[in-house]
Amino acid sequence: MAGITADLGTGRASLGHVLDFAWAQGVFTASDAMSAASLTRSTTIDAIDTLVEVEVLRELPNARDAGEYRAGRPARRFELRRDLGAIVALDAGDTHLTVALTDLAGTELVRRRTTLDPAHSVGARRAAILTELDAALAESGVAHHAVLALCAGVAAPVARNGYSPPHPEGFWERTNPGLVDLLAGWAPVVEVKNDAQLAAAAEGMLGAAIGCRDYIALLAGERLGAGAVVDGHLLHGAHGGVGEMFVFDSVRGVDSVFGLGPVTVSEAEKLRTSGELSQASALKRLPAGYEARDVLALASDGDADAMRVADAVGRRLGRAVAVLGNMFDPARVIICGAIAEGIDPVLESARRAARRILHLPAPEIVRSELGADIVLIGAISTALHSARTVALPRLAEERLRERAGR
């Protein structure tokens, strides 16, 4: 609420309170807004009428006309206009790009997913991103000027100004090819964020970390990346690098920043070539090109050799969690990304390993329920928050100025 009130100016604080209430409420009456915003009735009605006049709120048929009220004076009813604009969210990984548009209620209007070539030059990647954004707008029918906020998640550390630091092999510059500049004209608010930090935001708002003030969202599919929340604050760092897990290259028993996908396949291959598989092992019969989810599915079904693989992966994960536990002292570590759907056979081994290593109480290790789209979900939630607290108040202020200048 403070953001809305500040953007509308101290002289229009009542408008900010009503606007903030309207965003979250849906259909409401003046009495509803008055109670929630702690305003007098006359101040509340004046604020509502002003916001209706500048077409930020919409007045609906009163309760009697809507068939919901039959005695006494019918209450006027209002709602925030959901056609005021839309938000755009991007999940820009190394090999994929997903673009989603939603209205201000968070209802998805369009989603597009395409494959990106990791060998793309910076210029080619920038062009591909713009092409997909234009196509998403055209498909949704949303006008460019109606985009109120945009948030892009990238597989790189991101400083507070939206730029990524240089990487020895150019990886970070490629995954974040100057997006804060490229997309600057797309919305009043444009944000570029690290993907694991967006995963942490998603878990805190919608997932396994609701109500938790100390947790780690661990993106664990292809590479490890952590979004760390301590004392209710998402940690960032001078260059946005708090979630970078290259420290695991130097941790015995973890040995690399590779995620649970490649680690599972590597452990399965070691066992398959060891000559130690049982004759009845389904793991032996997996075809070439199998994936981690195939091994984990066998473990879930009780295949003894696949369970050995899951145990080895769990010990490695448990050691990684122990390092995070010593660094950040979280109450909960949430395994996120597409890999989380089948990760249950790994978790008990990870819990045992973490308990053995840690001196502090071991964090709870759970899997995310938000699926493969967790970064996109975090980007949508972040863009909606920016639309609510920054872009929409600015739009209301502009319309108020236009009315005053008539």
Side-chain angles (χ1 to χ4, degrees), residues 34-115:
M34 178 181 67
S35 175
S38 299
L39 300 171
T40 66
R41 183 169 187 82
S42 61
T43 299
T44 302
I45 292 173
D46 285 345
I48 289 173
D49 286 342
T50 299
L51 291 171
V52 169
E53 185 175 345
V54 297
E55 298 184 329
V56 172
L57 297 182
R58 173 189 290 116
E59 183 166 4
L60 303 173
N62 65 44
R64 180 179 295 159
D65 292 342
E68 299 173 6
Y69 192 91
R70 299 189 179 278
R73 184 177 181 180
R76 296 170 68 195
R77 305 186 312 150
F78 309 91
E79 67 176 359
L80 184 73
R81 295 182 67 99
R82 298 297 175 179
D83 58 357
L84 287 169
I87 64 95
V88 176
L90 291 82
D91 174 10
D94 185 34
T95 60
H96 72 273
L97 171 67
T98 306
V99 178
L101 273 76
T102 83
D103 64 17
L104 298 187
T107 302
E108 192 170 291
L109 305 175
V110 67
R111 179 181 298 200
R112 293 178 60 87
R113 183 179 174 89
T114 190
T115 300

Side-chain angles (χ1 to χ4, degrees), residues 87-93 95-102 109-117 120 123-142 144 147 150 152 179 182-183 186 376:
I87 64 95
V88 176
L90 291 82
D91 174 10
T95 60
H96 72 273
L97 171 67
T98 306
V99 178
L101 273 76
T102 83
L109 305 175
V110 67
R111 179 181 298 200
R112 293 178 60 87
R113 183 179 174 89
T114 190
T115 300
L116 297 177
D117 185 349
H120 267 163
R125 180 169 287 255
R126 286 162 66 101
I129 290 170
L130 289 179
T131 296
E132 285 300 305
L133 280 171
D134 286 334
L137 277 187
E139 186 176 337
S140 68
V142 173
H144 195 146
V147 178
L150 181 152
L179 292 184
L182 180 70
L183 305 175
W186 272 79
L376 191 69

Side-chain angles (χ1 to χ4, degrees), residues 27 98 103 133 179 204 218 236 289 317 335 348 366 372 378:
V27 177
T98 306
D103 64 17
L133 280 171
L179 292 184
L218 186 63
H236 192 268
L317 174 61
I335 311 303
E348 190 51 46
V366 300

